[in-house]
Amino acid sequence: MKNLGISILAILLLTPSLLWAKEVIDLTSKVEIEVVTTNEQGEQVTVRQPASKVLPGETLIYTNTYHNVGDDLAQNIVVNNAVPAHTSYIAGSAFGDGCEILLSADGGKSYASEGELTVVGDDGTSRPALPEEITHLRWIVREYQKPGDGGDVGFRVRLQ
Amino acid sequence: MNLQHPPPGRYPPRPHPLALLLLFAIAFVLTTMAALATGTPAGTLISNTAQASYSVGASSLSKSSNTSTFAVAELINVNVVSQDGGNVGVVPGTDDQYLTFTVTNTGNGDESFTLSADSAIAGDDFDPTLVGIFADTNGDGQYTPGVDLAVPGGVVDLAADAGVTLFVVNNIPSTLPDGVTPIADGQTGTTSVSITSNTGSGALGTLIPNGGDGGTIDAIIGSSGGLPATTDATYTATSISLDVAKTAVIVDPYGGSTPIPGATVTYSLVVTVSGSGTAVGLTITDPIPANTTYKPGSLTLDGVGLSDGAGNDDGEATGSPVNLITVRLGDMTAGSKTITFAVVID
């Protein structure tokens, strides 16, 4: 027992960065709807509002904002988001500047870029995944993020 | 001799209560109701949380976002569809003539609707007298007085996707609104059926704050024309009559026409439909008279032989010994058809 305790202490002492690295990335998620309204100039404009009074068939916009709020460089940032239950991904709607965007149709086990993603149909042959089969989205942020840096990634869905 | 009504469920028989030989019918189109997927139930919470992973130096870190959540609002939408496939033929002066509607909740929440009917509307020839709105209590798709019960207050409660068949029942007057002029063939009387949601009414998109299931979510009018919505259905006066004349010709074994044992009796049934409209699903049956024996192979329709066996053509002689002949004439408009068969006197 004494030896085991010493071993654990040794491992902890050898991995100081794991213990002491401070979180630097803040991640916020919001869901909005688009509403057509008339502005002060009498023009019809589309504005985004927080999602409310949402009915089946309507479109929702999910936006995740990552932001380096720390003092250290953040690298290898990957944002993952499951398509919410009762919603269907809208083809081509994933966005994220400076990101490689990947989709999954198997619950997040495998990913491919949109248009490359395939699923195996009931007959055993491979075919392109349908938008409503998308289960997860992934954004791989290409650049490191200095303190103060950040960006938006997101996608649109239709409420079933 | 019997005039058989069509089998239940296939056509809606609406017999004239006063005259056996007076029939009317109208083509009945069974409109199948599309299976509707009305979407995510009202009140469902839609939540989302994103995750980020990243590294700082040699350390791997992760972060979960806040969880965004909203509740699905309630869509109030209803379809009222006439199931009559066109105007309903009625004989003036007959009671309990019904219009068939289906009411389907095409919204995403539990909803209570109120129906009302107005038979005294402008633009038609005669005014049916509204009896009421009735449920298809026994589920046979036909209104049966005393069996199918009135819908109290016209209120129907339907879960999302659920539908119900309702009958709007009228008595048909024999005269136009002047009370004197008889209703003529082809004249029409319309009933307007109105439906609204007991949650609220208004134009498409009208918001009913906290009107949804449980009172905590908003409800929104989703019917394209708003609520209340109206649907019309129309009766057309028709006077179709059916007459069957039966005659017999006797030939005895000795070349005479005496009804003695061994004599052959050939019966002719002349079926005549007159008036406007179509007699639907007409079937003629006639029992073989007592003390006679059916002459095998003698059944004919308009001079063409019908086999005695069942199922291979429109007629048969059934029983052992044969005790009934049946001929299915199908749908008949004005005109006549002749059925013959022969028996031998025992």
Side-chain angles (χ1 to χ4, degrees), chain B residues 103-158:
Chain B
V103 179
T104 308
N105 178 1
T106 53
N108 65 342
D110 297 337
E111 218 66 61
S112 175
F113 299 102
T114 297
L115 278 92
S116 59
D118 182 5
S119 293
I121 61 173
D124 54 3
D125 300 309
F126 61 90
D127 287 333
T129 305
L130 184 68
V131 177
I133 298 172
F134 292 81
D136 187 12
T137 306
N138 64 355
D140 67 351
Q142 305 172 33
Y143 172 64
T144 310
V147 173
D148 293 322
L149 303 178
V151 179
V155 175
V156 291
D157 296 332
L158 294 173

Side-chain angles (χ1 to χ4, degrees), chain B residues 88-115:
Chain B
V88 173
V90 288
V91 175
T94 55
D95 288 345
D96 292 328
Q97 301 300 327
Y98 62 96
L99 304 164
T100 307
F101 293 89
T102 55
V103 179
T104 308
N105 178 1
T106 53
N108 65 342
D110 297 337
E111 218 66 61
S112 175
F113 299 102
T114 297
L115 278 92

Side-chain angles (χ1 to χ4, degrees), chain A residues 17 21 23-25 27-29 53-56 60 62 64 72 74-82 84-86 160, chain B residues 40 44 46-48 50-56 59 61-63 65-66 68 70 72-75 108 207 218 220:
Chain A
S17 62
E23 285 194 4
V24 298
I25 291 293
L27 184 66
T28 59
S29 181
K53 306 174 188 62
V54 184
L55 296 174
L60 298 156
Y62 281 99
N64 301 318
D72 298 312
Q75 293 176 290
N76 306 320
I77 299 172
V78 176
V79 179
N80 291 301
N81 202 150
H86 302 291
Q160 292 167 358
Chain B
T40 307
T44 302
I46 307 293
S47 297
N48 185 57
Q51 285 84 32
S53 63
Y54 60 99
S55 55
V56 174
S59 305
L61 296 164
S62 64
K63 175 74 177 174
S65 74
N66 60 300
S68 69
F70 67 90
V72 176
E74 183 160 315
L75 179 71
N108 65 342
L207 178 71
D218 296 330
I220 296 165

Side-chain angles (χ1 to χ4, degrees), chain A residues 106-120:
Chain A
D106 59 5
K109 288 197 279 288
S110 65
Y111 284 85
S113 56
E114 191 159 9
E116 309 278 310
L117 191 66
T118 58
V119 295
V120 177

Side-chain angles (χ1 to χ4, degrees), chain A residues 129-155:
Chain A
L130 300 171
E132 57 268 29
E133 292 174 326
I134 304 300
T135 61
H136 288 72
L137 295 96
R138 169 171 288 175
W139 295 262
I140 300 171
V141 183
R142 292 195 179 94
E143 301 290 326
Y144 59 75
Q145 301 290 308
K146 298 189 300 291
D149 287 352
D152 288 341
V153 299
F155 59 105

Side-chain angles (χ1 to χ4, degrees), chain B residues 35-307:
Chain B
L36 297 161
T38 56
T40 307
T44 302
L45 296 177
I46 307 293
S47 297
N48 185 57
T49 309
Q51 285 84 32
S53 63
Y54 60 99
S55 55
V56 174
S59 305
S60 293
L61 296 164
S62 64
K63 175 74 177 174
S64 284
S65 74
N66 60 300
T67 299
S68 69
T69 301
F70 67 90
V72 176
E74 183 160 315
L75 179 71
I76 300 175
N77 203 352
V78 62
N79 266 357
V80 180
V81 179
S82 167
Q83 298 296 311
D84 291 320
N87 290 4
V88 173
V90 288
V91 175
T94 55
D95 288 345
D96 292 328
Q97 301 300 327
Y98 62 96
L99 304 164
T100 307
F101 293 89
T102 55
V103 179
T104 308
N105 178 1
T106 53
N108 65 342
D110 297 337
E111 218 66 61
S112 175
F113 299 102
T114 297
L115 278 92
S116 59
D118 182 5
S119 293
I121 61 173
D124 54 3
D125 300 309
F126 61 90
D127 287 333
T129 305
L130 184 68
V131 177
I133 298 172
F134 292 81
D136 187 12
T137 306
N138 64 355
D140 67 351
Q142 305 172 33
Y143 172 64
T144 310
V147 173
D148 293 322
L149 303 178
V151 179
V155 175
V156 291
D157 296 332
L158 294 173
D161 269 349
V164 65
T165 297
L166 296 175
F167 304 117
V168 176
V169 179
N170 287 280
N171 294 335
I172 308 302
S174 52
T175 60
L176 297 179
D178 66 10
V180 179
T181 313
I183 294 171
D185 274 11
Q187 289 192 307
T188 60
T190 296
T191 295
S192 185
V193 174
S194 178
I195 190 164
T196 195
S197 164
N198 297 330
T199 303
S201 58
L204 174 67
T206 298
L207 178 71
I208 302 158
N210 299 323
D213 294 346
T216 55
I217 54 169
D218 296 330
I220 296 165
I221 301 290
S223 289
S224 57
L227 289 175
T230 58
T231 305
D232 290 349
T234 298
Y235 297 100
T236 299
T238 183
S239 60
I240 189 161
S241 65
L242 175 65
D243 182 64
V244 182
K246 185 173 182 178
T247 56
V249 174
I250 302 171
V251 178
D252 68 37
Y254 311 107
S257 58
T258 310
I260 55 174
T264 299
V265 183
T266 301
Y267 290 105
S268 291
L269 304 174
V270 179
V271 181
T272 303
V273 170
S274 54
S276 63
T278 303
V280 174
L282 197 56
T283 298
I284 304 292
T285 62
D286 200 1
I288 302 301
N291 302 315
T292 70
T293 301
Y294 174 72
K295 187 176 178 184
S298 64
L299 184 60
T300 71
L301 172 61
D302 287 340
V304 178
L306 296 175
S307 77

